[in-house]
Amino acid sequence: MKKYYFLIAILSSVLLHAQERYFLNSDTRLYTAANTAAEFLGYFKYGAEVQLLSESKNGWYKVKADNLSEGYIPEQYVATRLNAKDVKVRDNENPILEGGDNYYGGNHLFVLVAGLKARAQPDKNSKIREILFVGDPVAINYLPKNEDEWVNISGQFSDEYARFTLRKFVGKRPDFNTLLKDFDKLDVNNVTERKTVGERLVQLAWNSDNAKLIPAYQRYYEVVKQLNDPKLIDDTELNMAIAKGLVKHKKQEEITAFTKKSEFVVKGLKTKSLFFTQKELINALGNPVRKATISDECGLYISELFYYYPDLEASVDEKENKAEVIKIFINQTNKLVFNVNTALDSSLTEKNFIEKYGTYIGASIKNPHSYSIPLEDSHFEIEFKDGKLFAIEIIYYC
């Protein structure tokens, strides 16, 4: 019976550890054995979470890191919570950067390669959860020493959010001017390497100030012309036009003045301050194809009741006889009017849009063919498909 009770005690202790969360209150390393003289596998940064795999023995725990590596750490650095009074022991050789560097608030490093695939598991065949660009900051609390091992760049254990990539693809933030010089040193006939460095330049420029976009695209365009790919040439020329607009971007007060009288026109019916009455909406479009109740915790819309039409979505307060247009799909009868002389309609191509409104818009290489124009408490999200204006949505801020 004593052995039986002893087994229950062990199982209870293991279950307790499984339910609690444990954090490191200082930098430390993951060792292959319970001894600081042993070989180490990687670096932990203050605040890293670990899973305990054993009871404390001689002042050491066996633990699992968030990249699923197992090893040993000193018991003194393990806590169930962190607080401002923690006396942090710093490891000067730890490559992980602390937060507060104007790029990321927590422990992090940066993506070093273009189009980095972040996967759901530490496996090259695992599901791709995200594509990351050069200069993107990624949350890292544990960094393996071996560059060919996997690192978790989500900053947490959760299977739902975990994202893995190889250690060799993250590090200190690349320097734009150094990368620019590296490109210029390459043999002009080494198209493959020029394309690789050119892509890194462009992505890093998007993660820097807008002034870097033009020199980055100038280099990349040289390679694109060498490759003689018509679609790649068209896309690059469009991005170069976007870059020119962003460099000369209007001040917020100028954009607000430009958009403050904006109205939607739907089948000839014009909104008033982006609203219809509910009766006007029904008269113009008939009964909606679908109605749905959408939870609105932030109170962004006039109602949680939404009407859905083939070419329009609206929040509708039936009691107050009011309809707020949320999204329109562009056709010959639907458009967004900024003023008497300026409208976004079905005749507008993406290229024309950039040429006319490039200094007003926000853009991202991660969301191509979609642009934003800010309002006071929201922004217009303007989407193009196949070079034509497709839809305009109002995105409110919570």
Side-chain angles (χ1 to χ4, degrees):
M1 290 297 289
K2 290 181 179 179
K3 289 184 179 179
Y4 178 72
Y5 286 127
F6 179 65
L7 180 60
I8 290 177
I10 291 175
L11 289 174
S12 298
S13 178
V14 171
L15 287 173
L16 179 63
H17 284 323
Q19 292 169 356
E20 287 196 62
R21 297 179 68 186
Y22 296 89
F23 304 91
L24 302 185
N25 57 22
S26 286
D27 291 5
T28 188
R29 300 183 182 188
L30 183 66
Y31 293 91
T32 56
N35 190 320
T36 54
E39 181 182 356
F40 75 96
L41 300 171
Y43 301 89
F44 285 109
K45 199 69 178 169
Y46 171 84
E49 184 175 358
V50 294
Q51 291 180 350
L52 302 191
L53 300 178
S54 74
E55 292 294 306
S56 173
K57 185 177 180 182
N58 298 324
W60 288 78
Y61 280 118
K62 185 177 183 181
V63 300
K64 179 185 289 185
D66 62 12
N67 77 332
L68 310 185
S69 292
E70 297 180 7
Y72 297 85
I73 58 173
E75 176 187 9
Q76 70 192 82
Y77 298 135
V78 178
T80 55
R81 62 181 57 85
L82 303 172
N83 61 68
K85 295 181 180 179
D86 288 337
V87 179
K88 304 175 188 177
V89 176
R90 284 184 167 82
D91 181 347
N92 293 329
E93 295 181 10
N94 191 329
I96 302 173
L97 303 173
E98 293 185 5
D101 61 355
N102 297 322
Y103 293 105
Y104 200 79
N107 300 330
H108 66 287
L109 287 173
F110 296 88
V111 173
L112 303 178
V113 296
L116 178 64
K117 297 178 179 68
R119 299 185 181 274
Q121 297 292 330
D123 182 337
K124 290 182 179 179
N125 297 315
S126 178
K127 178 183 177 182
I128 297 172
R129 282 200 163 149
E130 186 180 3
I131 303 294
L132 296 157
F133 288 0
V134 177
D136 280 348
V138 288
I140 293 179
N141 289 316
Y142 172 73
L143 189 71
K145 183 172 66 171
N146 185 343
E147 291 208 339
D148 291 322
E149 288 189 17
W150 293 86
V151 58
N152 186 341
I153 58 172
S154 73
Q156 54 187 307
F157 267 96
S158 169
D159 288 339
E160 182 180 357
Y161 299 107
R163 295 173 297 151
F164 296 88
T165 188
L166 292 175
R167 157 74 177 92
K168 61 188 173 185
F169 297 139
V170 297
K172 289 185 178 180
R173 193 173 195 274
D175 178 74
F176 181 82
N177 291 327
T178 300
L179 201 56
L180 202 66
K181 291 176 182 177
D182 289 343
F183 179 92
D184 291 340
K185 290 176 184 176
L186 291 171
D187 187 322
V188 70
N189 295 314
N190 189 352
V191 180
T192 301
E193 187 64 18
R194 276 162 62 85
K195 184 173 185 292
T196 297
V197 179
E199 288 172 342
R200 291 177 182 174
L201 262 176
V202 165
Q203 292 186 7
L204 184 59
W206 278 99
N207 271 319
S208 306
D209 61 274
N210 290 336
K212 291 182 170 60
L213 286 168
I214 290 178
Y217 272 113
Q218 286 173 340
R219 265 67 168 193
Y220 186 59
Y221 192 49
E222 293 177 16
V223 184
V224 168
K225 287 188 291 185
Q226 284 180 294
L227 294 169
N228 198 27
D229 180 332
K231 185 179 185 308
L232 194 55
I233 289 173
D234 288 344
D235 288 345
T236 304
E237 288 177 347
L238 183 67
N239 283 322
M240 291 175 75
I242 294 170
K244 290 178 182 178
L246 292 176
V247 169
K248 298 179 181 178
H249 205 257
K250 301 282 188 184
K251 294 180 181 179
Q252 180 58 50
E253 54 267 30
E254 295 177 285
I255 300 174
T256 301
F258 177 70
T259 60
K260 69 178 181 179
K261 294 184 178 180
S262 301
E263 302 286 2
F264 288 120
V265 176
V266 179
K267 292 193 173 180
L269 182 66
K270 190 174 183 179
T271 58
K272 296 173 183 175
S273 299
L274 305 176
F275 290 89
F276 290 123
T277 66
Q278 187 245 1
K279 290 180 180 178
E280 286 175 330
L281 187 61
I282 296 294
N283 289 338
L285 301 179
N287 291 320
V289 174
R290 180 170 65 95
K291 292 184 181 182
T293 300
I294 308 291
S295 177
D296 181 17
E297 295 180 357
C298 293
L300 301 177
Y301 305 109
I302 60 169
S303 169
E304 293 187 346
L305 176 63
F306 277 67
Y307 282 12
Y308 293 90
Y309 294 92
D311 55 359
L312 182 143
E313 297 174 8
S315 170
V316 179
D317 188 329
E318 295 178 335
K319 291 182 179 179
E320 296 294 328
N321 187 30
K322 202 168 187 180
E324 177 184 24
V325 177
I326 303 302
K327 185 175 184 178
I328 66 168
F329 297 90
I330 303 301
N331 53 39
Q332 291 183 344
T333 62
N334 291 359
K335 59 185 177 181
L336 172 64
V337 177
F338 289 122
N339 55 56
V340 177
N341 301 313
T342 308
L344 306 187
D345 58 26
S346 60
S347 68
L348 187 68
T349 67
E350 186 171 5
K351 184 178 179 182
N352 291 152
F353 173 77
I354 298 303
E355 291 172 349
K356 291 181 179 180
Y357 308 108
T359 57
Y360 291 90
I361 65 172
S364 169
I365 192 175
K366 293 186 178 181
N367 193 19
H369 313 298
S370 183
Y371 309 95
S372 63
I373 296 181
L375 301 167
E376 289 184 344
D377 59 352
S378 56
H379 70 261
F380 289 119
E381 193 73 19
I382 301 162
E383 182 182 358
F384 287 82
K385 281 190 177 181
D386 300 321
K388 297 179 180 179
L389 185 55
F390 175 71
I392 301 173
E393 183 175 5
I394 300 179
I395 306 294
Y396 288 95
Y397 309 133
C398 188

